[in-house]
């Protein structure tokens, strides 16, 4: 099977030459700020010293900077998110109410999911996370791409019906009002997952997906559009085009916005990007 490095398209962009896989996070980063994608995925710029390139160590277990010879510093939001993810999984499996969950707004959701788990052994939880890799042949010029994704919760129901659930930490409100993109920001991610599940398992005929904003102050659950196998051709065509858009990008302009304050490459954190500069 043809691999990305075997593609023969002339004058390939830097993105097409360096991106080996495409994931929902790749698309989210590209949409939020193309320059960040360049720093992170193409330049592999160290988030500690901003002077070296991250490369795998000899044992392949971690990435070290070519300049400071250190791994990247942990991202507090990711550390917290992973801890909450593990605690929620443990609660659903065992019913153990861990202290970490006391300050999140997902008790009702977790109770429901625990009952579902007790009734349905086909419910796959984070410690059984599955990585979907699928060859996708875009519609125009990009010959090859591999999509990967890791699901938080995957539930099999009878007659080819599958439910996908994704946990999200972090605030979705400002001054008591929802961010306009709080739901839409992650809709693409769940759409990719729905497409991949149907590509991965031909027995799946319908996919429902939901997001649980565990830090939301009300409710916390958002249901996203359902997809059936009849939608699959359109999904593949749409995401083929979007993947090609990323792989053919050459300019990588920055996009200043509310996410800049969290970005590791922000000049205020010693990084190379000043959001306020022209």
């Amino acid at each position: 099977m043809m691999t990305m490095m075997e593609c023969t398209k002339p004058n390939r962009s830097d993105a097409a030459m360096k991106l080996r896989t495409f994931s929902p996070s790749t698309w989210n980063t590209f949409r939020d700020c193309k320059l960040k994608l360049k720093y992170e995925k193409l330049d592999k710029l160290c988030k500690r010293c901003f002077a070296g390139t991250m490369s795998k160590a000899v044992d392949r277990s971690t990435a070290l900077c070519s300049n400071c010879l250190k791994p990247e510093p942990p991202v507090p939001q990711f550390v917290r998110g992973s801890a909450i993810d593990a605690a929620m999984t443990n609660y659903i499996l065992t019913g153990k109410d861990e202290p970490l969950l006391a300050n999140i707004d997902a008790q009702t959701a977790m109770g429901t999911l625990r009952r579902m788990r007790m009734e349905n052994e086909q419910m796959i939880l984070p410690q059984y996370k599955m990585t979907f890799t699928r060859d996708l042949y875009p519609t125009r010029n990009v010959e090859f791409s591999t999509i990967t994704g890791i699901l938080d919760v995957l539930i099999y129901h009878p007659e080819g019906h599958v439910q996908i659930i994704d946990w999200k930490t972090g605030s979705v409100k400002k001054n008591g009002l929802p961010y306009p993109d709080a739901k839409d920001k992650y809709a693409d991610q769940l759409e990719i997952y729905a497409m991949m599940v149907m590509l991965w398992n031909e027995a799946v005929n319908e996919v429902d997906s939901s997001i649980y904003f565990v830090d939301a102050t009300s409710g916390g659950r958002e249901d996203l559009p359902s997809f059936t196998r009849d939608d699959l051709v359109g999904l593949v065509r749409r995401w083929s085009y979007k993947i090609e858009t990323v792989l053919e990008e050459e300019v990588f302009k920055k996009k200043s916005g509310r996410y800049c304050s969290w970005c590791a490459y922000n000049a205020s954190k010693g990084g190379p990007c000043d959001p306020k500069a022209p």
Side-chain angles (χ1 to χ4, degrees):
M1 179 175 290
M2 183 181 291
T3 65
M4 185 174 288
M5 291 305 295
E6 294 169 342
C7 290
T8 58
K9 181 184 175 184
N11 301 320
R12 297 183 64 76
S13 71
D14 199 34
M17 293 299 292
K18 292 184 177 180
L19 279 176
R20 296 294 179 269
T21 60
F22 182 94
S23 68
S25 64
T26 304
W27 175 253
N28 284 340
T29 303
F30 180 81
R31 184 185 57 190
D32 290 344
C33 180
K34 296 175 183 178
L35 182 59
K36 181 182 179 182
L37 179 72
K38 181 178 184 296
Y39 288 150
E40 189 173 88
K41 300 291 187 180
L42 306 185
D43 299 340
K44 298 185 184 299
L45 192 63
C46 176
K47 297 175 183 176
R48 187 184 294 274
C49 71
F50 305 105
T53 299
M54 302 304 296
S55 59
K56 291 290 184 181
V58 175
D59 62 2
R60 310 295 293 176
S61 62
T62 187
L64 299 178
C65 173
S66 61
N67 179 62
C68 65
L69 303 180
K70 295 180 180 180
E72 289 184 339
V75 180
Q77 297 97 315
F78 292 164
V79 173
R80 177 176 180 270
S82 297
I84 289 178
D85 184 279
M88 293 177 74
T89 299
N90 192 43
Y91 176 86
I92 293 168
L93 289 173
T94 68
K96 182 180 179 181
D97 194 1
E98 300 189 28
L100 184 62
L101 303 179
N103 295 321
I104 70 171
D105 185 28
Q107 299 295 331
T108 301
M110 288 191 299
T112 301
L113 291 174
R114 172 156 172 74
R115 289 192 297 275
M116 292 175 66
R117 169 67 183 180
M118 295 171 67
E119 297 170 357
N120 184 357
E121 294 185 356
Q122 297 269 21
M123 181 174 179
I124 301 174
L125 285 155
Q127 57 258 59
Y128 310 115
K129 278 184 178 178
M130 304 180 71
T131 300
F132 298 111
T133 303
R134 179 77 181 192
D135 298 342
L136 189 68
Y137 292 86
T139 53
R140 295 194 292 170
N141 297 322
V142 177
E143 295 89 346
F144 178 86
S145 186
T146 299
I147 300 181
T148 62
I150 301 178
L151 308 184
D152 285 341
V153 181
L154 178 65
I155 307 172
Y156 283 97
H157 296 288
E159 300 180 357
H161 177 207
V162 164
Q163 185 178 3
I164 297 172
I165 296 174
D166 204 64
W167 313 130
K168 295 297 179 188
T169 55
S171 175
V172 296
K173 292 188 176 184
K174 182 177 182 180
N175 299 326
L177 298 175
Y179 284 118
D181 62 350
K183 178 179 177 179
D184 295 340
K185 178 176 173 59
Y186 302 109
D188 284 343
Q189 176 183 353
L190 275 295
E191 186 174 295
I192 292 174
Y193 288 163
M195 177 183 69
M196 295 311 297
V197 169
M198 287 190 284
L199 287 172
W200 172 70
N201 188 339
E202 293 182 356
V204 175
N205 298 314
E206 182 179 4
V207 181
D208 294 329
S209 55
S210 302
I211 299 173
Y212 284 84
F213 292 107
V214 300
D215 289 333
T217 56
S218 60
R221 170 174 171 166
E222 292 281 358
D223 294 323
L224 299 174
S226 299
F227 295 98
T228 68
R229 188 155 290 278
D230 291 339
D231 300 315
L232 184 57
V233 171
L235 287 172
V236 170
R237 184 178 294 113
R238 179 157 66 250
W239 282 103
S240 295
Y241 182 85
K242 289 184 176 182
I243 290 171
E244 183 178 0
T245 300
V246 175
L247 295 181
E248 292 191 339
E249 178 63 35
E250 295 179 353
V251 180
F252 295 99
K253 291 183 178 180
K254 70 179 177 183
K255 180 181 178 181
S256 299
R258 70 183 180 93
Y259 299 109
C260 291
S261 60
W262 303 328
C263 181
Y265 302 107
N266 194 314
S268 65
K269 301 177 182 179
C273 180
D274 181 357
K276 298 180 180 179

